[in-house]
Amino acid sequence: MTIAYDDRDWQAAMRALETMGLHLSAYKRPQLERRLGSFLDREGFPSLERMVSQLRLDRELFLRLHTYLTIHVTEFFRDPPYWEQFRAVVEANPLKRWRIWSAGCSWGAEAVTAGLILENLGQRFEVTGTDSDAVVLERARKGLYRTSDLDKVPDSWRSGFRLRGEYYELMPFKFGTLRFQTHDVVRDDPPGVFDMVICRNVIIYFHTDARRRVLHSLASSLVPGGRLFLGATETFLECRDMGFEVERPSIYRKLSE
Ligand SMILES: C[S@@+](CC[C@H](N)C(=O)[O-])C[C@H]1O[C@@H](n2cnc3c(N)ncnc32)[C@H](O)[C@@H]1O
């Protein structure tokens, strides 16, 4: 079923969602419309207006919508050749302690992958994983993964996990820490100062202005010489203008001011 609505209905729904705490203004509209349309279908709402009325009464529905709209696809060692680049950068530039921010980390696979590589290199680290979706972060904090989540983890990295019941559990790190906190890259100030920001497959969902604002915000959290690690399919054509140089595929180095 395709639900008919006009631009006024759409704007009214966006305003109502905003007041309820669901901030969608950064997203590309066509994609958001597709996703919201399929949520309406799935939940059986005949109109945007009816969905909004029900959302005011039903917190569970609200959380379901939030989780549905923010796409959480992730995996350990996602796009392996790029993690080789990460490894090479970290290995060649030992620091007293790597401060790393995984922004838009979903259930944490990316933050954990960074931790596993640093641990393997014997380098000290603090990884902060953030996401705007509190529900998915709960899963990240548990550090328990289904067997299928580990499908693409190379054998050599599996010693980082141990079987606990029907789940795999992340073993404690010796050289570093991993923590997760709620954070919205569009609305919030960066949660600290970092040597590297990993923000992969997040800003591709944002329209040009929002994407640019987020890139500026991520850049502001980096020390001079800090690295920005973007997704495999993301371009950063304006990297020079924003004070970065390409260091390796998908990894950009912030030039000194
Ligand atoms: C496709 S996942 C990418 C996960 C991981 N970075 C990776 O590449 O495997 C996108 C994540 O970005 C999060 N996200 C979307 N909008 C966000 C925002 N404004 N602030 C923070 N996180 C956001 C979503 O909740 C989702 O978990």
Side-chain angles (χ1 to χ4, degrees):
M1 178 174 63
T2 307
I3 287 124
Y5 53 82
D6 61 20
D7 194 54
R8 263 202 357 221
D9 300 332
W10 176 261
Q11 298 301 346
M14 289 301 109
R15 277 195 303 277
L17 292 174
E18 181 81 24
T19 59
M20 284 182 235
L22 189 47
H23 310 290
L24 301 170
S25 60
Y27 286 89
K28 292 175 189 161
R29 178 161 164 178
Q31 198 171 334
L32 188 56
E33 286 195 77
R34 274 198 302 278
R35 202 84 187 146
L36 202 49
S38 78
F39 184 80
L40 289 167
D41 269 357
R42 227 169 82 138
E43 299 279 340
F45 287 110
S47 67
L48 279 171
E49 202 184 346
R50 284 282 288 279
M51 178 195 72
V52 166
S53 308
Q54 189 58 29
L55 283 170
R56 292 186 200 285
L57 308 171
D58 186 342
R59 183 73 191 158
E60 284 297 310
L61 179 69
F62 177 81
L63 292 176
R64 245 188 352 264
L65 174 64
H66 192 298
T67 296
Y68 190 72
L69 292 181
T70 46
I71 297 153
H72 296 118
V73 179
T74 189
E75 59 189 44
F76 296 109
F77 296 91
R78 183 174 190 180
D79 305 315
Y82 294 88
W83 285 105
E84 279 305 317
Q85 306 296 337
F86 169 90
R87 183 191 170 87
V89 167
V90 170
E91 193 168 23
N93 299 279
L95 293 180
K96 195 167 147 218
R97 190 188 319 106
W98 275 91
R99 293 161 299 177
I100 294 191
W101 173 21
S102 164
C105 67
S106 183
W107 50 264
E110 177 179 278
V112 169
T113 302
L116 286 170
I117 294 173
L118 284 150
E119 180 85 355
N120 179 265
L121 291 170
Q123 294 211 27
R124 300 206 170 272
F125 63 92
E126 275 169 14
V127 177
T128 304
T130 65
D131 203 282
S132 55
D133 185 353
V135 175
V136 85
L137 281 177
E138 273 310 301
R139 199 177 147 205
R141 286 194 189 97
K142 283 193 182 121
L144 293 175
Y145 314 103
R146 293 181 291 253
T147 332
S148 57
D149 294 331
L150 268 80
D151 277 353
K152 293 207 182 142
V153 175
D155 286 345
S156 52
W157 293 100
R158 294 205 174 207
S159 58
F161 301 87
R162 68 179 161 218
L163 201 55
R164 192 173 129 193
E166 52 185 314
Y167 289 98
Y168 278 94
E169 179 180 36
L170 182 66
M171 301 279 279
F173 289 124
K174 277 204 245 38
F175 295 111
T177 56
L178 176 58
R179 68 189 180 107
F180 293 100
Q181 72 181 69
T182 313
H183 176 274
D184 186 319
V185 287
V186 178
R187 299 165 55 83
D188 300 331
D189 289 335
V193 174
F194 299 95
D195 303 299
M196 183 175 309
V197 176
I198 308 173
C199 187
R200 306 173 74 215
N201 311 300
V202 179
I203 56 175
I204 38 168
Y205 299 109
F206 298 162
H207 57 70
T208 313
D209 279 359
R211 177 184 167 280
R212 210 175 155 73
R213 267 187 284 125
V214 171
L215 281 168
H216 274 292
S217 171
L218 302 179
S220 74
S221 76
L222 283 169
V223 295
R227 273 75 175 189
L228 178 61
F229 181 10
L230 296 178
T233 57
E234 281 157 331
T235 50
F236 186 18
L237 299 177
E238 63 275 66
C239 85
R240 276 259 155 217
D241 293 345
M242 286 183 59
F244 284 84
E245 64 179 6
V246 183
E247 184 172 21
R248 286 173 169 271
S250 290
I251 301 186
Y252 303 86
R253 188 170 171 280
K254 183 177 172 176
L255 302 167
S256 303
E257 275 120 332

